[in-house]
Amino acid sequence: MRKFKGELLLFASAFLFAASGIPAKLLLAQDLSAFRLTQVRCLGAFVLLVTFLLIKNRRSLLMTKKEIPFLLAYGIIGFALVQSAYFFAISRMELSIALVVEFTAPIWITFYVRYIQKRHVASTMWWAIALAFIGLTLVAQIYRGMTVDGLGFVVALIDAFALAAYFLMGEHGVKTRSSTSLTTYGFGVATLFWFFVLPVWNFPFAIFTQQIPLSGISDSTLPGWMLLTYMILAGTIVPYLCVLNGIRFISASQASLIGMLEPVIAGFFAWFALSEQLAPIQILGGAIVLAGIYLAERSRQASHNAIN
């Protein structure tokens, strides 16, 4: 199992991120904007993580002046922009479509690695990306001609570029800093960013006590603070740490490709929790995504063996 530690961590992050889509949709249906949801998510995660490090390993929070520009860019792009763009996109268009656009990130990473960094990319990786992307379009059923919100599509595409940058910067950051401290700084910078963009004193605090209907899941309700707590812990801190720990063992391009599992898993969550039916073509699409990930993993293993 240790041989596939990176892959298992990335699978876990995809699973948890996919599961968080349901409470996110429930919260966005109330008087909470995509940007406010991002703000409270970042603030909650930062408070918990920095408290943990201050108790357990405060030395890991030390930084040099040279790191400041990188940490600022990492927090704003990889945390504030990725999350807010995602929430904004799913508030204006179907979750599956937004995720398909967002998870074109591996394509942009591969282009960056090949044409900007001038590094070799195995031909099988291109086939893996093509398979995974085809599978995602089947899962989203784009062929049915669904009308896509123009602004939502543009923001989802921006999110894809931001997600690609997040994986690449994370791959660089974990070489010199622990995953926990890097994640803490990411959320800290994002929290500071949202503090200036959206003053905390204007936050709709009523959302914490508001009873949120679990539409499609049951006839009951849950207070907003419970859904937000889930978003902060299981939907934010744990999956982000899984990603950063995972890319210690595999490349950013491989990690982002495994992330393509998220829309597939989200579809199954919607089927299980929201009673949404999966068409046979969507199940086929999920299988194709898995085939693409398998091909990418074979490519990685072949490259690793060749180097050794």
Side-chain angles (χ1 to χ4, degrees):
M1 296 293 286
R2 292 178 61 86
K3 181 180 179 181
F4 299 103
K5 186 175 181 178
E7 288 83 352
L8 290 173
L9 286 168
L10 268 298
F11 283 138
S13 72
F15 180 88
L16 291 170
F17 276 134
S20 70
I22 294 176
K25 290 288 282 187
L26 295 176
L27 288 163
L28 290 169
Q30 308 305 311
D31 296 326
L32 190 68
S33 70
F35 304 113
R36 286 297 189 184
L37 178 55
T38 305
Q39 183 180 40
V40 70
R41 191 185 188 195
C42 290
L43 175 60
F46 172 68
V47 169
L48 291 176
L49 284 172
V50 77
T51 301
F52 172 78
L53 286 180
L54 286 173
I55 296 173
K56 293 291 185 179
N57 186 17
R58 64 179 59 190
R59 288 184 60 84
S60 67
L61 291 173
L62 297 176
M63 66 174 173
T64 63
K65 291 182 179 180
K66 187 178 179 180
E67 289 182 287
I68 293 176
F70 170 79
L71 292 174
L72 287 174
Y74 183 64
I76 293 173
I77 297 173
F79 290 75
L81 182 56
V82 167
Q83 293 182 53
S84 59
Y86 166 69
F87 290 140
F88 183 86
I90 67 174
S91 71
R92 297 184 65 95
M93 57 198 299
E94 293 196 8
L95 176 63
S96 56
I97 300 297
L99 284 172
V100 166
V101 178
E102 180 188 10
F103 279 93
T104 58
I107 297 175
W108 313 124
I109 290 176
T110 303
F111 279 131
Y112 177 82
V113 170
R114 176 65 182 86
Y115 298 109
I116 304 299
Q117 294 186 330
K118 305 296 184 181
R119 288 159 53 188
H120 172 71
V121 174
S123 59
T124 49
M125 180 61 75
W126 296 104
W127 285 106
I129 290 173
L131 277 176
F133 190 65
I134 290 170
L136 286 178
T137 60
L138 295 178
V139 171
Q141 294 185 298
I142 291 179
Y143 59 89
R144 295 176 60 184
M146 291 180 288
T147 301
V148 176
D149 180 85
L151 180 58
F153 178 83
V154 171
V155 173
L157 188 59
I158 292 173
D159 191 29
F161 290 124
L163 183 63
Y166 164 73
F167 278 112
L168 290 167
M169 287 190 290
E171 183 181 40
H172 171 75
V174 294
K175 293 177 181 178
T176 57
R177 179 171 288 280
S178 72
S179 302
T180 306
S181 68
L182 185 61
T183 305
T184 302
Y185 272 112
F187 282 120
V189 170
T191 298
L192 187 63
F193 171 81
W194 288 117
F195 178 82
F196 288 106
V197 175
L198 298 172
V200 176
W201 49 86
N202 292 331
F203 188 86
F205 292 100
I207 192 68
F208 290 105
T209 56
Q210 184 177 341
Q211 291 296 316
I212 311 295
L214 305 181
S215 307
I217 302 176
S218 70
D219 296 328
S220 60
T221 62
L222 282 177
W225 70 265
M226 289 188 66
L227 293 176
L228 288 169
T229 300
Y230 175 87
M231 289 290 296
I232 291 169
L233 294 175
T236 305
I237 294 177
V238 176
Y240 266 101
L241 289 176
C242 283
V243 169
L244 286 181
N245 280 287
I247 58 180
R248 289 183 181 275
F249 304 96
I250 62 178
S251 68
S253 56
Q254 293 283 342
S256 63
L257 193 62
I258 293 175
M260 280 185 161
L261 272 177
E262 184 180 334
V264 179
I265 298 171
F268 282 100
F269 269 118
W271 168 75
F272 178 77
L274 304 176
S275 299
E276 294 181 2
Q277 297 299 314
L278 287 175
I281 195 71
Q282 290 177 296
I283 297 175
L284 174 62
I288 293 175
V289 172
L290 292 174
I293 292 172
Y294 172 76
L295 184 60
E297 176 57 24
R298 288 293 299 271
S299 173
R300 186 185 75 85
Q301 290 289 342
S303 299
H304 178 74
N305 293 336
I307 293 174
N308 293 332

